[in-house]
Amino acid sequence: MKDYDDSIAFLGHWGRFQQAVFFLLCASIVPNGFGVFFTVFLTDTPLHHCLVPEVNLSQAWRDATIPIEVVDGKQELSSCSRYRLDVVRNLSAQGLVPGRDVNLTDLEQEGCVDGWSYSKDIYQSTIVSEFDLVCSDQWKQPFTTTLLLLGVVFGSFVSGQLSDRFGRKPVLFATMAVQTFFTIVQIFSPSWTVFSILFFMSGLGQISNYISGFVLGAEILTGNVRDLFSTMGISLGFAVGYMLLPLFAYFLRDWKSLLLGLSLPCFAYIPLWWFIPESPRWLLSQGRLEEAEAIIRHAAKINKVEAPQVIFEDYNETNTHPENHPNFFDLLSTRNIRNTTIILCLLWLTLSTGYFGLSLNTPQLHANPYISCFISAAVEVPAYISCWLAQCYLPRRVSVISFLLLEAVSLYSIQLVPQSLSYLSFALEMLGKFAVSASSTLMYAYTAELYPTVLRNTATGTCCTVSRVGSCLTPFLLKLGLYFKYLPNIILGTLAAVSAFAAFFLPESFGQPLPQTIEQMFKLKRPACSAQITALVLSISIQRALLA
């Protein structure tokens, strides 16, 4: 049986057809850069204190109504309490001076019964100031981001299986529509509850279209062009959107305006439906030979090359099994597939937790959140270039392990930096972001290369789903820094070190054609026998831990 890449070799690797698919799919990924990370600005908590209503108070007492607290060695106005307003009014009416005639520490305090006053130095409004997600309701702030990520978890899992069953192209555009529609509807949320439900629905489309677009491009493109697309191309499209996010946020400082501004450009992608084709590989896996040949002949016409009379002459019903729809359980069907799937899920979990942890923490890294967000986005550009070079010239296992160890070392080193050298800590955290961005991108290509066509999107979607479980916990993981500043970095570094060890036991796909069948997947080069035994022990341990 001729290999798919050999069957379409007459097209070349970089004709006008491939160029159009390459750049259109990269452009379709740009909104994902806005995606989850607009929560950096959407859910940020402005400086705030209890609102002091317009009552008859002297200026001295008005200024002294909010208690002073010491936070991290600095004096700040209390965020959640004030001196009892009726007592303060009586003292002000008597003409007493706070601090001279009255010892403020002896006064009784109360909560913010009249609401809060929020600083507008950075934001005009966020959902925190809109729905008062502070003090007793401050848990809602990280939980809001978690709800979005839970939507991403569910969307990634379902979209992967839908894509394998109904096609890459329909799911790509359906998830883009879901993301855009529910983001716009959120603007009209009357309460935090309604907003949260719509936020979850918006998450169904987040990343899901990234996965579908990635698999679509990886299956249409071939050779070095496929490597370029799956590492640097699609990732730079994401990075462009990520770098545009702080620009949008800087000029649109009201959360409703920001959501609208990020959603409207997505309507420009509607015409792409008529220019982006379905995956011929997927059509062949479903037994739809004529449709696959029609796409390749159209590509040959665009590239101005002559197509053979029969393109896929060796494909027949024994090579395709459209009646056997893939599902999650196929990823656990044999020992080799099961071991590979479990180890990949661990790596994806680690990388997603590290990536989202370092990305969502950007407002805490610099006094200006717009600058820190832009730097965090810009550092991904050299990361993706490094990933592309690694994918071209280095074995996959070596590349993944190296990036994971670099992430672990940089995050561990932050706690050794004196507090006076804050910029060095910032640089080390960005070095960790560089490493986790590069390895995360490489994992998309690595995973796609390990699985056959009938399982590829299900495997990618499943791994992405598992990874999002970790990212859902990330907002609360970052809150651990309130108890010990370096604890989040220590946890992320430890996960990276453990995953680097586990990655050693994966098969090597460097220089191998994409497997079309499960039998071809078994032919990928694996570690030595002793390593296989260790991998089996590792996978069994993980399975037992999950069951426990």
Side-chain angles (χ1 to χ4, degrees):
M1 181 180 70
K2 287 181 66 176
D3 181 76
Y4 173 86
D5 290 352
D6 294 334
S7 299
I8 65 168
F10 67 91
L11 284 178
H13 293 308
W14 192 237
R16 290 179 58 190
F17 172 76
Q18 289 93 338
Q19 292 171 14
V21 170
F22 186 100
F23 290 111
L24 290 178
L25 284 177
C26 289
S28 73
I29 300 303
V30 171
N32 282 278
F34 306 150
V36 176
F37 299 127
F38 64 11
T39 60
V40 169
F41 304 103
L42 198 69
T43 66
D44 200 10
T45 304
L47 293 175
H48 58 279
H49 58 78
C50 292
L51 178 67
V52 180
E54 293 295 331
V55 294
N56 189 19
L57 291 176
S58 66
Q59 189 60 47
W61 276 106
R62 182 172 295 277
D63 294 338
T65 302
I66 308 299
I68 302 296
E69 297 178 346
V70 177
V71 180
D72 294 332
K74 300 178 181 178
Q75 289 189 340
E76 297 180 358
L77 294 177
S78 174
S79 300
C80 300
S81 63
R82 70 183 186 188
Y83 296 118
R84 282 188 55 180
L85 190 59
D86 56 342
V87 174
V88 170
R89 290 176 62 182
N90 290 334
L91 295 173
S92 176
Q94 297 174 26
L96 301 177
V97 178
R100 187 191 69 183
D101 302 323
V102 178
N103 187 354
L104 295 178
T105 58
D106 295 334
L107 297 182
E108 185 180 352
Q109 298 184 14
E110 63 182 359
C112 300
V113 294
D114 294 308
W116 289 263
S117 176
Y118 295 91
S119 169
K120 296 187 177 182
D121 293 341
I122 299 178
Y123 309 106
Q124 287 298 310
S125 69
T126 68
I127 65 166
V128 173
S129 61
E130 180 78 14
F131 302 119
D132 290 332
L133 309 183
V134 293
C135 298
S136 61
D137 286 336
Q138 64 179 342
W139 62 271
K140 294 180 179 179
Q141 186 258 350
F143 186 65
T144 303
T145 303
T146 296
L147 285 174
L148 174 68
L149 295 172
L150 284 173
V152 172
V153 170
F154 187 76
S156 298
F157 183 73
V158 173
S159 67
Q161 299 192 55
L162 291 177
S163 183
D164 279 336
R165 178 167 296 192
F166 300 108
R168 314 322 193 194
K169 179 179 174 180
V171 174
L172 170 66
F173 284 91
T175 51
M176 291 176 66
V178 168
Q179 175 184 344
T180 303
F181 174 77
F182 283 104
T183 300
I184 293 177
V185 174
Q186 282 177 276
I187 297 173
F188 306 100
S189 302
S191 65
W192 176 77
T193 302
V194 174
F195 178 90
S196 299
I197 294 172
L198 295 174
F199 215 28
F200 173 85
M201 299 300 294
S202 173
L204 296 176
Q206 301 281 0
I207 306 300
S208 297
N209 56 320
Y210 182 100
I211 297 172
S212 298
F214 166 80
V215 173
L216 181 58
E219 292 183 346
I220 293 178
L221 303 172
T222 58
N224 291 332
V225 177
R226 183 179 68 211
D227 292 341
L228 180 65
F229 170 81
S230 59
T231 53
M232 193 163 65
I234 195 171
S235 300
L236 286 179
F238 182 91
V240 168
Y242 193 1
M243 287 188 289
L244 288 174
L245 172 61
L247 182 65
F248 274 88
Y250 181 81
F251 289 103
L252 303 173
R253 302 201 178 194
D254 172 74
W255 70 273
K256 294 183 178 180
S257 301
L258 178 60
L259 287 181
L260 185 62
L262 295 177
S263 301
L264 290 181
C266 295
F267 287 99
Y269 293 101
I270 294 177
L272 296 188
W273 174 268
W274 290 275
F275 295 96
I276 296 178
E278 181 56 273
S279 166
R281 287 182 189 266
W282 177 81
L283 291 171
L284 288 173
S285 72
Q286 303 300 301
R288 295 159 63 176
L289 183 63
E290 294 182 0
E291 295 177 61
E293 285 207 357
I295 292 175
I296 299 302
R297 293 189 185 281
H298 179 66
K301 183 179 179 181
I302 295 176
N303 286 359
K304 298 181 180 180
V305 296
E306 186 72 23
Q309 186 174 1
V310 179
I311 299 175
F312 302 109
E313 56 184 350
D314 293 327
Y315 280 84
N316 52 56
E317 293 183 0
T318 61
N319 301 126
T320 55
H321 305 277
E323 71 281 0
N324 296 327
H325 296 296
N327 57 59
F328 167 75
F329 297 102
D330 292 323
L331 301 178
L332 307 174
S333 57
T334 68
R335 189 188 68 181
N336 286 337
I337 297 179
R338 183 165 56 250
N339 292 344
T340 298
T341 300
I342 290 175
I343 295 175
L344 283 175
C345 285
L346 173 63
L347 265 65
W348 279 71
L349 178 71
T350 295
L351 293 172
S352 180
T353 304
Y355 181 76
F356 281 92
L358 296 176
S359 299
L360 295 177
N361 195 44
T362 49
Q364 313 303 322
L365 301 180
H366 194 280
N368 190 318
Y370 305 105
I371 293 177
S372 60
C373 182
F374 179 80
I375 295 175
S376 179
V379 78
E380 295 191 10
V381 175
Y384 298 144
I385 295 175
S386 300
C387 178
W388 172 63
L389 294 173
Q391 183 158 334
C392 289
Y393 302 108
L394 295 175
R396 303 292 184 254
R397 280 202 308 265
V398 172
S399 302
V400 170
I401 291 172
S402 299
F403 284 128
L404 283 169
L405 291 178
L406 178 60
E407 177 194 356
V409 171
S410 61
L411 294 181
Y412 278 140
S413 301
I414 292 176
Q415 58 186 316
L416 305 178
V417 178
Q419 292 188 359
S420 59
L421 300 178
S422 58
Y423 286 98
L424 179 56
S425 297
F426 181 79
L428 286 172
E429 189 148 339
M430 288 301 99
L431 180 60
K433 177 69 184 299
F434 165 88
V436 74
S437 298
S439 50
S440 296
T441 302
L442 189 59
M443 284 307 300
Y444 275 96
Y446 197 6
T447 303
E449 292 172 350
L450 291 178
Y451 289 94
T453 301
V454 293
L455 289 177
R456 187 169 297 121
N457 215 74
T458 294
T460 306
T462 299
C463 289
C464 189
T465 300
V466 173
S467 73
R468 301 311 170 202
V469 173
S471 63
C472 287
L473 301 176
T474 299
F476 294 98
L477 172 65
L478 296 177
K479 292 295 183 181
L480 295 177
L482 297 175
Y483 304 99
F484 179 54
K485 181 178 180 181
Y486 304 109
L487 186 55
N489 288 331
I490 292 174
I491 294 175
L492 296 178
T494 302
L495 284 173
V498 172
S499 297
F501 172 76
F504 174 77
F505 305 113
L506 287 172
E508 181 54 69
S509 62
F510 181 62
Q512 303 293 322
L514 283 179
Q516 292 290 110
T517 65
I518 293 178
E519 290 75 17
Q520 292 177 0
M521 178 183 179
F522 293 152
K523 295 179 181 179
L524 293 174
K525 184 178 179 181
R526 292 182 173 270
C529 182
S530 60
Q532 288 186 3
I533 296 174
T534 308
L536 180 59
V537 172
L538 176 66
S539 65
I540 292 174
S541 300
I542 295 174
Q543 291 179 68
R544 287 179 176 175
L546 292 175
L547 291 174

